[in-house]
C-alpha cells in the first residue's frame, strides 16, 4: 500500500468534479477517435511493431507519467497524408495493410540511419 498524505483542495468548484475531470477528458478523446487514426490495440503485435518503429524514428513526445512515448497524433497525420501506403485508421486495417505500413516504416528507418 502506498502511503498518501491528505491534501487540502484549493481549486474552484467541486473537489469531486475536479477529481473526475481526467476521466471526462479520456471520454472526450475516445469519442473523438474517428479523427485520430493513430489509436492502436496494445494486444496486436503489428500495432506494437509500428509503435516501436515510431520510437526508432524519434517520433516521440514528452509525457508526464511515462517520460517519452510514441507520437500518436503524428502517426495519425501520416496515415491521413498522401505519403501513407494505406489511408485508413490503424484499428480498421487488416493484416495485409498493417504489413504495408510496417514495411513503409522499416524503409523510413533504413533511410534515416543509413
Amino acid at each position: 500500500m502506498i502511503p498518501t498524505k491528505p491534501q487540502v483542495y484549493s481549486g474552484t468548484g467541486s473537489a469531486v468534479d475536479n477529481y473526475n475531470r481526467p476521466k471526462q477528458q479520456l471520454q472526450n478523446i475516445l469519442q473523438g477517435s474517428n479523427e485520430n487514426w493513430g489509436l492502436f490495440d496494445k494486444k496486436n503485435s503489428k500495432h506494437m511493431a509500428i509503435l516501436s518503429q515510431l520510437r526508432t524514428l524519434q517520433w516521440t513526445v514528452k509525457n508526464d507519467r511515462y517520460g517519452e512515448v510514441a507520437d500518436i497524433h503524428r502517426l495519425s497525420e501520416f496515415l491521413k497524408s498522401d505519403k501513407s501506403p494505406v489511408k485508413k485508421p490503424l484499428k480498421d486495417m487488416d493484416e495485409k495493410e498493417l504489413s504495408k505500413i510496417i514495411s513503409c516504416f522499416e524503409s523510413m528507418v533504413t533511410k534515416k540511419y543509413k
Side-chain angles (χ1 to χ4, degrees):
M1 182 173 178
I2 300 172
T4 59
K5 296 180 183 177
Q7 296 179 355
V8 177
Y9 177 67
S10 60
T12 58
S14 167
V16 174
D17 289 341
N18 188 47
Y19 177 79
N20 290 328
R21 187 170 300 131
K23 293 178 187 172
Q24 183 62 36
Q25 290 172 348
L26 180 62
Q27 286 177 351
N28 291 341
I29 290 169
L30 292 177
Q31 287 172 354
S33 65
N34 295 337
E35 296 175 11
N36 188 350
W37 287 17
L39 295 179
F40 64 96
D41 178 12
K42 70 178 183 178
K43 295 178 183 175
N44 187 329
S45 61
K46 292 194 182 230
H47 288 191
M48 297 308 288
I50 292 170
L51 290 180
S52 172
Q53 291 174 343
L54 291 178
R55 292 183 59 93
T56 304
L57 285 169
Q58 297 176 349
W59 285 18
T60 57
V61 291
K62 299 281 183 201
N63 183 291
D64 295 336
R65 187 173 187 182
Y66 300 108
E68 200 171 64
V69 296
D71 189 352
I72 302 302
H73 296 290
R74 188 170 177 183
L75 172 62
S76 175
E77 293 304 314
F78 172 78
L79 292 174
K80 293 176 186 178
S81 74
D82 293 333
K83 295 179 181 180
S84 175
V86 180
K87 289 186 180 132
K88 256 184 172 177
L90 197 61
K91 283 192 170 183
D92 294 344
M93 292 184 193
D94 61 16
E95 297 294 319
K96 188 175 181 180
E97 293 167 334
L98 284 170
S99 295
K100 285 182 184 180
I101 295 292
I102 289 171
S103 64
C104 176
F105 277 109
E106 286 174 351
S107 172
M108 292 166 68
V109 168
T110 303
K111 288 177 183 177
K112 181 172 183 167
Y113 294 106
K114 187 173 183 181

